[in-house]
């Protein structure tokens, strides 16, 4: 659902808008969509092996196309334009959904913020989608307001210490270092807790 909503919003951007910076990120909007696609792909493939690695990522080659650009295994063909870029995003999201649905729920795989289960990788993919679409919407001049319930669910799964009495979307932006939250210090570093819940 998150990727479908993101693709719908991002599809409103003009063809020439993808070279500008994505919000506060150092990457341009095209690179940020590639990075998001790569995140979704990376979470999916961690769940793929019969015995997922617990101490490292599956050894794909991640490389940057320019100094300072994101190191990705997934790169979109620029000749396919923005429509092709969004297809790459949609396909990567579908791959993660398929892996989460077909992987036994007790499966554990490596992540740098703590090994996780399929539900955790799904939540990570949703957070990446929501917050990077926020970055992209800023850079592309679009409006992005994801559903509050979706934000609440990923906050509960990955940010168990985040406030529960504040607006869920603003709280998610705060938890990922992107926004102020009244009554709480602004975060300059952050990480989620993807470890399985009992």
């Amino acid at each position: 659902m998150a990727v479908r909503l993101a693709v719908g919003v991002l599809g409103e951007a003009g063809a020439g808008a993808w070279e500008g910076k994505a919000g506060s990120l150092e990457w341009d909007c095209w690179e940020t969509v590639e990075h998001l696609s790569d995140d979704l792909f990376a979470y999916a493939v961690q769940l793929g092996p019969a015995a997922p690695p617990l101490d490292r990522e599956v050894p794909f080659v991640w490389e940057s196309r320019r100094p300072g650009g994101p190191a990705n295994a997934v790169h979109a063909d620029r000749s396919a334009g923005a429509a092709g870029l969004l297809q790459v995003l949609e396909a990567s999201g579908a791959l993660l959904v398929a892996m989460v649905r077909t992987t036994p729920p007790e499966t554990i795989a490596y992540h740098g913020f703590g090994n996780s289960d399929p539900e955790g990788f799904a939540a990570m993919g949703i957070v990446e989608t929501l917050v990077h679409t926020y970055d992209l919407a800023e850079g592309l001049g679009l409006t992005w307001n994801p559903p509050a319930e979706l934000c609440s669910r990923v906050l509960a799964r990955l940010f168990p210490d985040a406030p529960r009495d504040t607006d869920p979307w603003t709280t998610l932006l705060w938890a990922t270092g992107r926004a102020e939250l009244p009554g709480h210090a602004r975060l300059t570093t952050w990480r989620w807790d993807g470890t399985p819940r009992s």
Side-chain angles (χ1 to χ4, degrees):
M1 175 174 153
V3 172
R4 191 169 54 245
L5 292 171
V7 168
V9 167
L10 297 174
E12 298 171 14
W18 296 92
E19 303 305 317
K21 284 182 105 178
S24 63
L25 302 181
E26 293 300 315
W27 307 323
D28 67 28
C29 291
W30 184 282
E31 291 172 325
T32 301
V33 175
E34 286 183 328
H35 167 77
L36 172 55
S37 301
D38 189 76
D39 285 339
L40 301 173
F41 168 84
Y43 298 157
V45 299
Q46 281 306 109
L47 298 170
L54 298 176
D55 60 347
R56 60 176 167 72
E57 294 174 335
V58 173
F60 284 88
V61 173
W62 276 270
E63 61 186 9
S64 177
R65 294 266 168 107
R66 67 166 181 88
N72 298 335
V74 173
H75 297 276
D77 180 357
R78 286 191 179 253
S79 70
L85 176 66
L86 295 180
Q87 276 187 334
V88 169
L89 175 58
E90 191 174 14
S92 295
L95 180 61
L96 178 56
V97 167
M99 288 306 300
V100 167
R101 286 183 177 164
T102 59
T103 301
E106 66 277 7
T107 301
I108 304 296
Y110 174 81
H111 187 275
F113 286 3
N115 294 352
S116 197
D117 56 5
E119 177 188 79
F121 279 101
M124 291 179 223
I126 292 168
V127 169
E128 297 278 9
T129 301
L130 298 181
V131 300
H132 282 313
T133 303
Y134 169 81
D135 300 327
L136 288 156
E138 274 195 312
L140 296 167
L142 302 171
T143 300
W144 172 239
N145 292 303
E149 183 187 333
L150 192 56
C151 298
S152 294
R153 289 175 59 195
V154 294
L155 282 165
R157 178 60 176 82
L158 297 178
F159 300 95
D161 297 328
R164 297 287 179 259
D165 58 349
T166 53
D167 173 69
W169 176 224
T170 304
T171 304
L172 183 58
L173 291 174
W174 169 81
T176 57
R178 287 169 168 80
E180 303 279 346
L181 189 64
H184 301 274
R186 176 128 190 191
L187 299 179
T188 56
T189 61
W190 61 273
R191 65 186 289 158
W192 56 55
D193 178 4
T195 53
R197 303 289 182 253
S198 56

